[in-house]
Amino acid sequence: MHNIYLDNNATTALDTKVIDSMIEVMGRPLNPSSPHKMGRMARSIVEDARKKIAEFLKIGNDYRVIFTASGTEANNLALKGFEGQNLFVSEIEHHSVLNSCKIGYKVLIPVNQDGTVNLEKLEKLLILRRAKPLVSVMMANNETGIMQPMAEVVRIAKKWGAVVHSDAVQCFGKIDINMPEMGVDMFTISAHKFGGPQGIAALIVKKDIQLAPQIVGGGQEQNMRGGTENIVAIHGFGKALEQLKIDNRVKTLRDRLESEIKAFAPDAIIFGSGVERLPNTSFIAMPNATSETQLIHFDMHDIAVSAGSACSSGKIEPSHVLKAMGVDNKIAKTAIRVSLGKNNTDTDIDAFLGAWKQLYINVNKQKVA
Ligand code: PLP
């Protein structure tokens, strides 16, 4: 068990009130498709959570909330389910978006060196559209925390008749954001990134957009996603939203962490520090220390950080996000991601900085001496 958890973009600890709420419904035979009292109780749990999500997201009556078993599945539904498969996705998307596009049907939108989508290129690419296009650009990147100019993306996409999807898995719960107001047609959120349970997420879709379901069965989720609903997780999802508060304290901690690193080691690189970023995320390159070396070092100090996105194999690959930003491979291999959450304190930052500086001195002895 890690004492200091600085990997909140990978997943967050379940909020205690969420656990309590999940225990309340656990152990009951609840299937919302059943015609009896227990079934009706199950149905009201699902619809109650759906309503909470709709209210929280301020989506009004124009959108529907489709529960899925993960953010990954919601992204699959948005992209694979989109008619025509004329897909324009940014190079820095999560692999659940990138790998949802069939080869030959995907046009990659390049990003600028600062990690934001290249809007000029987006427009030039859209001129070449074949069928009705879908543009998918994430609201905030999971590795760097860099925010995308979504309002501009939507403006350009709409000019060329495109539907817009945005993977909002990382920004949701960290910043105050109104996706419908921006004109986004579909977006993805996932409960375990903001104190809710794993294995439950939602695709929010404008009612006039037709998608082909990717899991078919008993017609659940408005015929968009077959399979008996995960009542316990859905209930926890709703409760997690109730508990959600945008916490500005996290940004203060993150900014302190970054300014102390820069003061101590001016040659360290903090990716995206010049553009708008999530308030909790730092993607930092330590000169002359590979990501692996750093992860082992921090792990020995009971500090959990990551080398970028969490990957099921546990293998560390150089970041496709940094590659897209034109970062040299050698530098990309020295990057680690620190992502803070509501439970972090100044003491955690002290411990991280102590361990970071110790390793920096060890690997850069001649320079520091
Ligand atoms: N999109 C982004 C940006 C993510 O960071 C993640 C998870 O790390 C996902 C999608 C996938 O979400 P889930 O873990 O619920 O499958």
Side-chain angles (χ1 to χ4, degrees):
M1 187 74 184
H2 284 292
N3 291 330
I4 300 173
Y5 187 72
L6 305 177
D7 198 14
N8 288 273
N9 285 8
T11 197
T12 55
L14 265 182
D15 187 284
T16 47
K17 290 211 172 100
V18 174
I19 297 175
D20 291 346
S21 78
M22 290 167 73
I23 291 172
E24 260 171 45
V25 297
M26 225 178 242
R28 297 187 196 179
L30 294 170
N31 185 337
S33 302
S34 300
H36 45 65
K37 234 183 213 164
M38 292 306 276
R40 288 199 294 281
M41 181 199 265
R43 172 58 56 204
S44 77
I45 291 173
V46 173
E47 296 315 322
D48 197 43
R50 205 189 307 278
K51 195 162 158 241
K52 270 185 204 153
I53 294 170
E55 279 168 10
F56 192 93
L57 297 171
K58 301 186 187 83
I59 54 178
N61 285 327
D62 297 342
Y63 291 76
R64 53 191 164 155
V65 175
I66 301 164
F67 287 118
T68 61
S70 61
T72 299
E73 190 195 319
N75 284 342
N76 271 254
L77 175 59
L79 281 100
K80 290 185 188 164
F82 188 74
E83 210 188 338
Q85 295 287 298
N86 193 197
L87 309 170
F88 295 76
V89 301
S90 90
E91 280 183 308
I92 56 162
E93 292 303 306
H94 189 263
H95 283 108
S96 56
V97 167
L98 289 172
N99 294 341
S100 284
C101 313
K102 272 190 268 168
I103 295 168
Y105 289 83
K106 163 173 71 177
V107 179
L108 284 175
I109 314 161
V111 296
N112 303 309
Q113 275 188 349
D114 66 9
T116 59
V117 157
N118 187 320
L119 296 168
E120 246 174 70
K121 294 251 171 74
L122 168 63
E123 181 138 30
K124 283 196 178 132
L125 288 170
L126 279 172
I127 297 170
L128 305 173
R129 72 203 180 286
R130 290 173 284 110
K132 185 167 184 66
L134 173 70
V135 170
S136 182
V137 173
M138 66 201 325
M139 195 60 233
N141 183 262
N142 44 303
E143 297 185 14
T144 59
I146 293 171
M147 308 269 306
Q148 294 303 322
M150 216 53 218
E152 277 300 284
V153 168
V154 171
R155 188 187 60 76
I156 294 167
K158 297 274 149 139
K159 184 172 151 191
W160 296 97
V163 167
V164 180
H165 167 257
S166 185
D167 176 347
V169 164
Q170 286 296 343
C171 76
F172 187 71
K174 296 180 181 128
I175 52 165
D176 200 4
I177 196 133
N178 186 331
M179 304 292 273
E181 204 169 78
M182 282 190 198
V184 172
D185 301 298
M186 303 194 264
F187 58 101
T188 302
I189 62 174
S190 179
H192 75 105
K193 306 290 183 178
F194 55 91
Q198 292 171 342
I200 188 72
L203 182 67
I204 320 294
V205 191
K206 242 189 173 158
K207 282 184 181 158
D208 58 1
I209 290 173
Q210 299 302 318
L211 289 177
Q214 299 302 300
I215 300 175
V216 288
Q220 288 92 343
E221 289 303 287
Q222 306 143 71
N223 281 321
M224 290 308 300
R225 202 266 179 187
T228 302
E229 294 86 342
N230 184 345
I231 295 288
V232 177
I234 289 175
H235 192 49
F237 191 167
K239 193 71 186 172
L241 274 183
E242 263 177 31
Q243 302 305 310
L244 198 55
K245 270 198 279 330
I246 307 289
D247 186 0
N248 295 325
R249 210 181 46 88
V250 164
K251 181 171 188 308
T252 313
L253 292 176
R254 196 277 309 268
D255 289 351
R256 185 190 142 216
L257 181 152
E258 291 189 349
S259 63
E260 287 198 29
I261 283 185
K262 284 307 278 181
F264 182 79
D267 54 350
I269 300 168
I270 294 164
F271 299 105
S273 58
V275 289
E276 213 186 328
R277 262 182 312 155
L278 291 177
N280 79 317
T281 309
S282 264
F283 205 22
I284 311 164
M286 180 192 290
N288 302 315
T290 62
S291 314
E292 282 97 333
T293 302
Q294 293 181 65
L295 288 200
I296 294 165
H297 174 78
F298 285 115
D299 204 37
M300 277 164 36
H301 286 76
D302 282 341
I303 299 172
V305 292
S306 94
S309 58
C311 153
S312 58
S313 68
K315 239 171 57 188
I316 300 176
E317 301 281 352
S319 153
H320 73 287
V321 177
L322 294 181
K323 191 169 171 224
M325 289 163 66
V327 174
D328 188 281
N329 214 15
K330 253 195 191 152
I331 294 173
K333 282 182 172 166
T334 66
I336 59 153
R337 178 184 70 184
V338 181
S339 50
L340 309 184
K342 65 175 182 182
N343 296 330
N344 291 127
T345 61
D346 267 308
T347 316
D348 297 342
I349 305 301
D350 291 340
F352 173 81
L353 286 168
W356 195 94
K357 289 175 186 175
Q358 185 196 63
L359 182 61
Y360 179 91
I361 291 168
N362 283 349
V363 293
N364 292 285
K365 271 196 185 98
Q366 288 93 340
K367 259 199 303 176
V368 176

